[in-house]
Amino acid sequence: MTSAEHSPLTRKLSAFVALSEVELAVLERLHQRRRSFVAGRDMVHQGQSAQAAYILSSGWVCSYKLQADGTRQIVDFQVPGDFLGLRSVLLRTSDHSFEPIVDIEAAEVLASDLLDAFARTPRLATAILWAASRDEAMVVEHLVGIGRRDAEARMAHFLLELGSRLALVGIGSKKGFDCPLTQYHLADTLGLSAVHVNRVLRQLRENGLVTFRDGLVTFRDYGGLVELAEFDPEYLDQTGPLLK
């Protein structure tokens, strides 16, 4: 893993605040407990208590809830620079599970470490609150998508959001991004069947908007996709530092 100064989390938080040397040193301490996790095995499971939070350094993770009948709803995907379980570390139990989609590297952060960092560096605490607020804004958009957008607009919006999130940490652009998700992941995220996902992706491809093939999302007509999804990235708040 890279040092905290060059980590995806630092790059992400720098969209909100210009971090000082002291704040970077505190972030470095938060990255001390570095761990690796294999794909397909839960890091945190629904109902688990006394768990740590994690800072994702590399790889992709999905957060999900299981229903009584065994069906799964994916709540979101975490990409490098994201916190995992930040809310749950302050609650008694985790209300959802985290599963690596590929082999990942992450830094384990105990509640005591987090609270000490907040006490030492209030600006860093504010930046992490910004990141958590941004995550909440994305959940709101996902609810709107499932409830009100048709399948093509839903898929388009989701792919554009992923591209914007990855661009913030330097691993995506308006041309596209590497993506390890399967059609089953997309189905469990967007409230569609895998068959419907396949049909939607084919339609978007035939319309010359986007292709998703062999782990690569390629935006063929970025502007057209934005228009279809009515995608307004303001909720992602990535325009530049608010605090100096």
Side-chain angles (χ1 to χ4, degrees):
M1 289 187 206
T2 57
S3 69
E5 184 177 358
H6 303 290
S7 73
L9 177 61
T10 299
R11 184 162 183 161
K12 176 180 173 180
L13 296 182
S14 294
F16 176 75
V17 60
L19 295 169
S20 69
E21 291 297 323
V22 171
E23 289 157 349
L24 288 171
V26 171
L27 272 183
E28 183 69 47
R29 287 195 289 274
L30 290 181
H31 281 79
Q32 283 182 341
R33 295 185 182 86
R34 301 179 180 189
R35 299 184 58 187
S36 299
F37 297 88
V38 298
R41 184 178 300 173
D42 284 353
M43 306 166 61
V44 175
H45 60 79
Q46 192 171 321
Q48 182 176 334
S49 59
Q51 72 282 348
Y54 297 90
I55 300 168
L56 186 58
S57 297
S58 66
W60 290 51
V61 174
C62 71
S63 52
Y64 69 94
K65 288 184 73 76
L66 283 177
Q67 301 304 300
D69 62 0
T71 56
R72 176 179 71 167
Q73 176 64 48
I74 293 179
V75 180
D76 200 3
F77 296 98
Q78 283 71 44
V79 298
D82 287 347
F83 270 96
L84 291 74
L86 184 60
R87 180 179 74 254
S88 297
V89 84
L90 300 176
L91 301 176
R92 291 181 176 85
T93 59
S94 176
D95 61 354
H96 58 283
S97 303
F98 292 94
E99 177 188 317
I101 295 169
V102 295
D103 293 349
I104 68 164
E105 292 184 328
E108 184 181 47
V109 182
L110 304 180
S112 56
D113 299 331
L114 199 59
L115 295 174
D116 180 65
F118 287 175
R120 289 173 179 268
T121 54
R123 284 195 343 145
L124 180 59
T126 303
I128 293 174
L129 176 60
W130 167 81
S133 300
R134 188 169 169 271
D135 291 343
E136 184 177 347
M138 286 188 286
V139 171
V140 170
E141 282 294 329
H142 297 172
L143 286 172
V144 172
I146 290 175
R148 294 300 178 187
R149 294 187 183 108
D150 65 33
E152 287 186 27
R154 199 182 309 175
M155 180 70 73
H157 196 283
F158 176 72
L159 294 176
L160 288 165
E161 180 186 273
L162 274 179
S164 295
R165 291 172 63 189
L166 292 165
L168 182 62
V169 292
I171 51 178
S173 72
K174 290 184 177 181
K175 293 182 178 179
F177 54 91
D178 292 327
C179 183
L181 304 183
T182 68
Q183 292 188 5
Y184 293 102
H185 287 125
L186 296 175
D188 286 351
T189 303
L190 301 174
L192 304 170
S193 69
V195 172
H196 199 178
V197 165
N198 184 275
R199 189 181 307 129
V200 169
L201 288 174
R202 184 176 66 247
Q203 188 63 51
L204 292 174
R205 182 179 68 249
E206 290 175 352
N207 289 342
L209 296 172
V210 62
T211 59
F212 187 2
R213 184 180 292 128
D214 299 327
L216 178 65
V217 172
T218 303
F219 296 127
R220 300 296 184 187
D221 181 357
Y222 190 86
L225 203 65
V226 167
E227 184 177 356
L228 170 65
E230 297 182 349
F231 181 69
D232 181 355
E234 283 298 312
Y235 71 98
L236 294 172
D237 199 34
Q238 297 182 184
T239 55
L242 294 177
L243 300 180
K244 303 297 184 181

